[in-house]
């Protein structure tokens, strides 16, 4: 029986090689996109799950009182980590996590790396596999754990246990540390990112931090407990420490504590103030967009398959009639056709896996914060997904055609008065959905291209191009470095600063006599505003003549700040910060986008800092010479600062680069979706028209004999399809414009508003493509000799 089924299947597929090929390629592309979407989703939802104690791990964080609002932060007062286990009996383990950039040396090799200062329970709580040595050896203050990649960089081998590295400290003698163990460096699916591990005691010692200083914060405090109710009970038990912290940290007073699971941490990290754990999972839009792509393309391919299968059933009507006449049941026919569909979908799945070998790495390379790869051996969930996709696709694409063709009565079939073609209501509905999806894909792609152009050309309120940043360890280094480089003709302007737009700022509560609110503060030096190109609208900038006065109480504000406090004449207005510091507005600048286009423009204060607090050089250069200037700054660094590798950054790349990459990659994805959708729809439309022409060959011949023109015949055949395309275009355009705006709003605060233009060009494009894809076949048939058409069987 199976042998006969297999023969019938192969014979059926070979009879329609072109249409089978089209369906296999279409389904293969769709399944490849589904595989990418699954890997993308799996990457996001399995964040941090490599830890054996994942379900028992929690992060304790602080809430800060800001003008009466209890704002959640990711940080926590540093001394809390030393008392938390004694306060909450259900806690089995606890560890603080402080992440700091350090410079390490091995002979003449100098590297910047990230060191995690942790408590003694850390390696027992988290799973960071140790490859060599003793995982607990870091409890010795002269011992450090290093990652396998760091070991290779320093020593040229992974097993570096017993080797010595040098920790470079500013203003202090360097410290020699012995490698106690080598661990596997955390991958991109880990919230905690670091390359070295040291005992928390070393943090106190190296950075002169007092252990009982409640004004100091640490990046994270993690606990392990088998009691899930600790999320609700722990904050109440720790509440008394909020008052202790608030007493000594009046500018950031704690109002309480809160606890979150590791699952929540992965998604919340990007939205929490003060978070410095190293990584977070994908943005919700980054998870949603590939899923939308995969579903749309799979639906397109399935609709294509269904329409083709229904239209092609004419060729198998006699087979169905004979099989029913000799005793074949409808169930057997359904199984036969579903089996054929399953074979075809299996071939499509194999082709989809081949496509994925190219598509998955290309997709992974688009995003620096993720690393996905196709592996069946080590990913059983992937196998389950593929099997489920195979069955679902076979049923979705071929279920209805199998039931549809098996229901015909053998008498009607064998009499020859039964015809099934592309003119059925279902075929028209499916074709309409195909074209609607294609229009939506085109509109999404075009709208995001518009948005990319809009954001690239938007005035951010300062010079975004040709700005280089050089962070140094202290003001003396910064001043020395500036003195050397500012005479170079490549440097058009230079300034020292503490904060920088999109890089370093902080928030504080301020008030006036009748108003109060929270503002963002940027600590800067002289010439910073001129170097960045801020436009002063009223008053003045900071000047050397007024430097001493401005350092004490002068501030420059932005337009949003004046609007927030209702100042029509902002110059001379008085502000109080931290209940004691009185500030006077000396100037107002045009609004600028502090954090690019991700977040709304906020009230901003630019505050002049003392020279001893300025440790970053900002250089303005010709954008065309940015690369050469960076090379010059790096070479100069090695002459001025000999014990650390150079740190020279580009504002366009290191501050605005993420937004540009996100924009570019989203545009790429939607354009890819648009191309695939249009190609599949055009092929599907061509297939349906071809089959429709085959079923109407004699009709066309008769019409031509009776005098119908080629134009008349072409219009007659094209019109039903073009009407469907037109209706689908209007509906698809309206729906996609609406949802494109919603999707953009979930990613950016400032974006283009999709409108009529966003839909009109894609609609005209899909109409043209539809016309071209069917007209050639129709005109060729209309030109055919009617004698040949009347002989057609």
């Amino acid at each position: 029986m199976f042998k006969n089924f297999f023969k019938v299947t192969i014979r059926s597929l070979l009879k329609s090689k072109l249409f089978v090929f089209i369906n296999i390629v279409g389904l293969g592309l769709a399944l490849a996109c589904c595989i990418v979407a699954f890997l993308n989703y799996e990457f996001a939802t399995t964040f941090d799950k490599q830890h054996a104690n994942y379900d028992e791990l929690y992060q304790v964080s602080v809430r800060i009182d800001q003008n009466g609002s209890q704002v959640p932060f990711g940080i926590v007062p540093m001394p809390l980590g030393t008392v938390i286990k004694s306060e909450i009996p259900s806690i089995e383990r606890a560890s603080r996590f402080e992440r700091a950039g350090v410079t390490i040396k091995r002979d003449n090799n100098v590297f910047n790396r990230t060191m995690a200062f942790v408590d003694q329970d850390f390696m027992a709580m988290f799973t960071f596999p140790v490859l060599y040595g003793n995982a607990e050896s870091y409890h010795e203050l002269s011992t450090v754990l290093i990652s396998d990649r760091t070991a290779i960089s320093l020593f040229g081998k992974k097993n570096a246990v017993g080797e010595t590295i040098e920790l470079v400290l500013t203003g202090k003698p360097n410290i020699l540390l012995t490698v106690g163990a080598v661990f596997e460096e955390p991958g991109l699916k880990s919230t905690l990112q670091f390359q070295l591990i040291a005992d928390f005691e070393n943090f106190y010692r190296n950075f002169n931090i007092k252990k009982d200083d409640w004004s100091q914060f640490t990046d994270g405090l993690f606990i392990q407990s088998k009691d899930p109710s600790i999320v609700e009970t722990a904050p109440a038990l720790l509440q008394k420490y909020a008052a202790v912290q608030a007493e000594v940290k009046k500018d950031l007073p704690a109002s309480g504590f809160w606890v979150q699971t590791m699952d929540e941490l992965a998604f919340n990290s990007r939205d929490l103030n003060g978070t410095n754990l190293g990584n977070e999972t994908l943005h919700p839009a980054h998870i949603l967009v590939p899923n939308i792509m995969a579903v749309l393309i799979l639906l397109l391919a399935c609709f294509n398959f269904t329409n083709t299968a229904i239209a092609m059933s004419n060729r198998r009507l006699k087979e169905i009639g004979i099989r029913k006449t000799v005793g074949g049941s409808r169930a057997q026919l359904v199984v036969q056709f579903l089996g054929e569909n399953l074979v075809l979908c299996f071939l499509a799945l194999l082709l989809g896996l081949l496509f994925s070998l190219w598509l998955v790495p290309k997709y992974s390379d688009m995003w620096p914060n993720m690393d996905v790869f196709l592996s069946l051996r080590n990913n059983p969930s992937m196998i389950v997904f593929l099997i489920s996709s195979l069955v679902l696709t076979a049923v979705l694409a071929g279920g209805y055609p199998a039931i549809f063709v098996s229901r015909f009565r053998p008498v009607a079939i064998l009499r020859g008065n039964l015809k099934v073609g592309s003119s059925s209501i279902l075929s028209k509905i499916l074709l309409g959905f195909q074209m609607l999806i294609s229009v939506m894909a085109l509109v999404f792609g075009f709208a995001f291209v518009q948005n990319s152009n809009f954001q690239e050309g938007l005035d951010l309120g300062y010079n975004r191009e040709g700005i280089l940043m050089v962070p140094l360890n202290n003001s003396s280094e910064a001043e020395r470095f500036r003195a050397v480089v500012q005479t170079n003709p490549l440097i058009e302007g230079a300034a020292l600063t503490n904060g920088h737009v999109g890089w370093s700022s902080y928030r504080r509560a301020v008030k006036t006599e009748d108003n109060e609110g929270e503002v963002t503060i940027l600590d800067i030096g002289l010439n910073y505003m001129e170097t960045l190109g801020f436009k002063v609208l009223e008053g003045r900038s900071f000047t050397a003549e007024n430097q001493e006065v401005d350092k004490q109480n002068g501030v420059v504000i932005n337009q949003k700040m004046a609007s927030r406090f209702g100042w029509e004449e902002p110059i001379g207005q008085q502000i109080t910060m931290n209940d004691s510091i009185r500030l006077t507005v000396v100037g107002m600048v045009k609004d600028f986008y502090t954090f690019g286009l991700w977040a709304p423009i906020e009230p901003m204060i630019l505050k002049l800092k003392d020279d001893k607090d300025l440790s970053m050089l900002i250089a303005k250069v010709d954008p065309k010479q940015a690369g050469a200037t960076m090379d010059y700054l790096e070479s100069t660094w090695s002459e001025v600062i000999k014990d650390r590798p150079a740190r020279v950054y580009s504002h366009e790349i290191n501050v605005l680069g993420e937004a540009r990459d996100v924009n570019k990659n989203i545009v790429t994805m939607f354009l890819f979706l648009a191309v695939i959708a249009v190609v599949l729809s055009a092929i599907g439309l061509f297939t349906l028209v071809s089959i429709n022409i085959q079923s109407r060959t004699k009709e066309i011949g008769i019409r031509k004999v009776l005098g119908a023109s080629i134009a008349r015949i072409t219009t007659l055949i094209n019109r039903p399809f073009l009407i469907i395309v037109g209706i689908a275009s209007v509906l698809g355009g309206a729906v996609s414009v609406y949802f494109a705006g919603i999707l953009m709003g979930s990613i950016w605060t400032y974006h283009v508003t999709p409108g009529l233009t966003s839909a009109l060009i894609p609609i005209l494009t899909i109409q043209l493509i539809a016309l071209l894809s069917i007209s050639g076949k129709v005109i060729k048939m209309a030109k055919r000799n009617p004698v040949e058409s009347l002989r057609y069987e």
Side-chain angles (χ1 to χ4, degrees):
M1 180 179 176
F2 179 79
K3 182 178 179 181
N4 180 62
F5 160 78
F6 189 73
K7 283 183 177 180
V8 172
T9 299
I10 296 298
R11 188 184 305 123
S12 173
L13 295 180
L14 290 177
K15 279 183 179 179
S16 307
K17 292 186 283 291
L18 176 61
F19 300 125
V20 167
F21 174 77
I22 290 172
N23 282 324
I24 289 177
V25 171
L27 285 173
L29 280 171
L31 290 171
C33 292
C34 290
I35 291 171
V36 170
F38 172 80
L39 292 174
N40 181 80
Y41 177 81
E42 184 184 52
F43 178 89
T45 54
T46 57
F47 225 71
D48 288 324
K49 289 190 177 178
Q50 71 273 19
H51 302 303
N53 300 319
Y54 177 83
D55 294 330
E56 299 177 4
L57 297 175
Y58 303 87
Q59 184 191 24
V60 180
S61 302
V62 68
R63 294 187 189 275
I64 300 295
D65 186 352
Q66 295 187 341
N67 300 319
S69 298
Q70 313 308 309
V71 181
F73 277 64
I75 52 180
V76 71
M78 193 172 290
L80 187 66
T82 61
V83 300
I84 192 169
K85 286 176 70 174
S86 61
E87 293 290 337
I88 306 176
S90 61
I91 294 179
E92 297 179 20
R93 299 187 179 101
S95 176
R96 289 167 295 180
F97 179 85
E98 181 67 26
R99 189 170 175 266
V102 297
T103 300
I104 54 176
K105 290 179 64 177
R106 167 67 176 177
D107 298 329
N108 294 324
N109 296 322
V110 185
F111 300 93
N112 290 323
R113 291 292 185 268
T114 301
M115 179 176 283
F117 296 94
V118 298
D119 291 314
Q120 295 192 2
D121 288 340
F122 182 78
M123 292 300 282
M125 295 170 64
F126 295 93
T127 305
F128 295 107
V130 172
L131 307 178
Y132 307 99
N134 179 7
E136 303 301 323
S137 61
Y138 71 93
H139 303 326
E140 295 289 334
L141 298 187
S142 61
T143 302
V144 67
L145 311 187
I146 66 175
S147 71
D148 50 350
R149 294 180 183 176
T150 302
I152 292 174
S153 299
L154 288 171
F155 307 105
K157 59 182 180 180
K158 284 189 177 183
N159 190 356
V161 175
E163 299 284 357
T164 301
I165 65 173
E166 192 173 352
L167 181 64
V168 179
L169 298 178
T170 302
K172 291 183 178 181
N174 294 347
I175 297 176
L176 296 178
L177 298 173
T178 302
V179 178
V182 178
F183 60 89
E184 186 177 307
E185 188 164 316
L188 293 177
K189 288 171 66 173
S190 173
T191 299
L192 307 180
Q193 292 290 319
F194 51 87
Q195 291 84 45
L196 301 98
I197 298 176
D199 192 274
F200 209 91
E201 187 69 28
N202 275 311
F203 182 71
Y204 294 130
R205 183 175 65 168
N206 297 343
F207 296 96
N208 296 325
I209 304 296
K210 295 180 180 180
K211 293 184 180 181
D212 59 348
D213 186 356
W214 282 86
S215 67
Q216 291 289 334
F217 290 99
T218 189
D219 292 330
L221 172 58
F222 295 92
I223 59 175
Q224 180 180 343
S225 175
K226 289 184 170 62
D227 180 13
S229 66
I230 199 169
V231 174
E232 288 80 27
T233 59
L237 295 173
L238 299 175
Q239 183 61 35
K240 61 183 179 181
Y241 292 106
V244 176
Q245 189 275 344
E247 181 66 26
V248 297
K249 190 70 172 174
K250 296 186 183 299
D251 57 337
L252 281 175
S255 60
F257 300 93
W258 64 293
V259 180
Q260 65 177 334
T261 64
M262 290 297 292
D263 181 58
E264 294 169 325
L265 172 64
F267 286 93
N268 290 340
S269 292
R270 71 169 46 82
D271 300 320
L272 292 177
N273 294 308
T275 300
N276 184 35
L277 301 178
N279 201 9
E280 68 271 338
T281 191
L282 306 182
H283 189 283
H286 190 168
I287 304 172
L288 180 64
V289 170
N291 291 340
I292 293 175
M293 286 180 57
V295 170
L296 291 179
I297 293 178
L298 183 62
L299 286 175
L300 268 176
C302 289
F303 291 164
N304 232 3
F305 184 100
T306 302
N307 247 346
T308 305
I310 293 175
M312 288 294 295
S313 59
N314 263 329
R315 297 187 177 185
R316 304 188 67 179
L317 288 178
K318 289 186 177 179
E319 172 195 341
I320 296 167
I322 293 172
R323 291 184 66 168
K324 278 196 168 186
T325 301
V326 298
S329 66
R330 184 179 181 185
Q332 289 175 326
L333 288 172
V334 170
V335 170
Q336 171 71 44
F337 285 110
L338 276 177
E340 292 177 8
N341 296 333
L342 191 62
V343 170
L344 193 147
C345 291
F346 179 73
L347 295 175
L349 181 60
L350 294 179
L351 187 61
L353 287 171
L354 288 177
F355 286 146
S356 299
L357 295 176
W358 171 81
L359 193 58
V360 170
K362 288 291 184 183
Y363 178 78
S364 183
D365 291 343
M366 290 170 61
W367 307 97
N369 63 330
M370 72 179 301
D371 181 19
V372 296
F373 55 92
L374 182 62
S375 174
L376 300 181
R377 180 182 302 176
N378 301 318
N379 193 349
S381 60
M382 184 70 193
I383 296 176
V384 173
F385 170 75
L386 291 177
I387 294 174
S388 302
S389 298
L390 175 64
V391 175
L392 177 65
T393 305
V395 173
L396 185 63
Y400 182 81
I403 297 172
F404 178 79
V405 300
S406 64
R407 67 184 176 89
F408 297 128
R409 300 173 67 179
V411 174
I413 293 172
L414 296 176
R415 281 178 178 173
N417 57 5
L418 178 63
K419 293 290 182 183
V420 181
S422 59
S423 60
S424 68
I425 296 297
L426 179 62
S427 293
K428 292 178 180 178
I429 293 174
L430 293 180
L431 178 61
F433 273 112
Q434 282 182 272
M435 304 314 298
L436 184 143
I437 291 172
S438 297
V439 171
M440 289 180 64
L442 276 174
V443 172
F444 268 104
F446 188 74
F448 275 91
V449 168
Q450 284 182 306
N451 183 66
S452 178
N453 294 334
F454 164 77
Q455 294 184 341
E456 281 295 311
L458 185 66
D459 179 12
L460 297 183
Y462 63 90
N463 297 325
R464 70 165 79 185
E465 298 180 343
I467 299 297
L468 303 180
M469 309 173 297
V470 186
L472 296 115
N473 278 6
N474 51 56
S475 60
S476 61
E477 276 189 358
E479 183 57 51
R480 193 165 72 250
F481 192 79
R482 179 176 68 167
V484 173
V485 304
Q486 68 180 356
T487 57
N488 190 299
L490 290 172
I491 309 294
E492 298 178 358
L496 296 182
T497 186
N498 183 284
H500 179 54
V501 176
W503 181 272
S504 176
S505 60
Y506 59 95
R507 297 175 66 82
R508 289 292 184 271
V510 300
K511 59 185 178 181
T512 62
E513 291 183 358
D514 56 357
N515 207 337
E516 63 179 288
E518 189 175 283
V519 301
T520 301
I521 299 178
L522 208 60
D523 290 334
I524 63 174
L526 287 176
N527 300 321
Y528 176 82
M529 288 194 289
E530 289 74 15
T531 303
L532 266 289
F534 289 140
K535 184 177 181 181
V536 178
L537 301 179
E538 294 186 36
R540 61 175 174 83
S541 177
F542 298 126
T543 61
E545 294 80 9
N546 300 290
Q547 183 175 7
E548 293 305 316
V549 175
D550 287 343
K551 282 193 300 185
Q552 297 299 319
N553 62 7
V555 295
V556 174
I557 65 172
N558 66 345
Q559 292 171 281
K560 191 74 172 181
M561 176 78 175
S563 174
R564 167 66 179 80
F565 285 88
W567 296 332
E568 294 183 3
E569 297 182 2
I571 306 305
Q573 295 287 346
Q574 299 289 313
I575 307 168
T576 302
M577 184 170 66
N578 297 339
D579 295 327
S580 59
I581 303 174
R582 292 188 64 82
L583 305 171
T584 301
V585 178
V586 300
M588 182 177 74
V589 297
K590 179 182 177 182
D591 280 338
F592 55 93
Y593 295 82
T594 315
F595 301 105
L597 304 177
W598 303 106
I601 296 174
E602 298 180 340
M604 173 74 68
I605 289 177
L606 288 86
K607 195 171 185 300
L608 188 66
K609 294 292 288 185
D610 195 272
D611 291 345
K612 64 182 178 60
D613 297 322
L614 308 177
S615 58
M616 178 188 286
L617 173 71
I618 301 295
K620 175 70 175 74
V621 304
D622 184 344
K624 297 178 181 178
Q625 298 294 325
T629 309
M630 289 185 73
D631 293 339
Y632 162 73
L633 293 175
E634 289 175 354
S635 63
T636 305
W637 176 293
S638 62
E639 298 172 5
V640 178
I641 303 167
K642 301 182 182 299
D643 60 350
R644 298 197 310 277
R647 293 194 298 164
V648 181
Y649 304 106
S650 164
H651 183 85
E652 269 209 291
I653 296 173
N654 299 97
V655 175
L656 302 177
E658 181 187 6
R660 183 178 292 108
D661 289 341
V662 168
N663 222 332
K664 181 185 70 175
N665 292 337
I666 290 179
V667 168
T668 300
M669 286 194 297
F670 275 115
L671 288 180
F672 175 80
L673 168 64
V675 170
I676 297 300
V678 170
V679 169
L680 287 178
S681 294
I683 291 174
L685 184 59
F686 175 80
T687 302
L688 283 180
V689 171
S690 299
I691 296 171
N692 187 44
I693 289 174
Q694 289 179 8
S695 65
R696 301 176 68 178
T697 300
K698 288 186 177 180
E699 175 194 341
I700 293 172
I702 294 172
R703 287 181 179 274
K704 197 166 185 183
V705 168
L706 294 176
S709 65
I710 294 176
R712 173 62 181 164
I713 294 173
T714 302
T715 302
L716 185 68
I717 297 176
N718 283 350
R719 184 170 57 189
F721 296 103
L722 293 179
I723 290 174
I724 294 172
V725 172
I727 294 173
S729 296
V730 173
L731 292 176
V735 171
S736 50
V737 164
Y738 174 74
F739 283 106
I742 292 177
L743 183 57
M744 288 179 188
S746 71
I747 304 173
W748 299 286
T749 299
Y750 303 99
H751 56 85
V752 75
T753 302
L756 180 61
T757 306
S758 305
L760 186 59
I761 294 178
I763 287 174
L764 294 176
T765 301
I766 202 70
Q767 293 278 355
L768 180 61
I769 291 173
L771 188 62
L772 292 176
S773 65
I774 63 178
S775 292
K777 184 75 175 178
V778 175
I779 292 172
K780 181 180 178 181
M781 187 62 206
K783 288 181 177 181
R784 190 175 180 181
N785 191 323
V787 175
E788 296 179 14
S789 299
L790 294 173
R791 287 176 176 172
Y792 178 78
E793 289 293 336

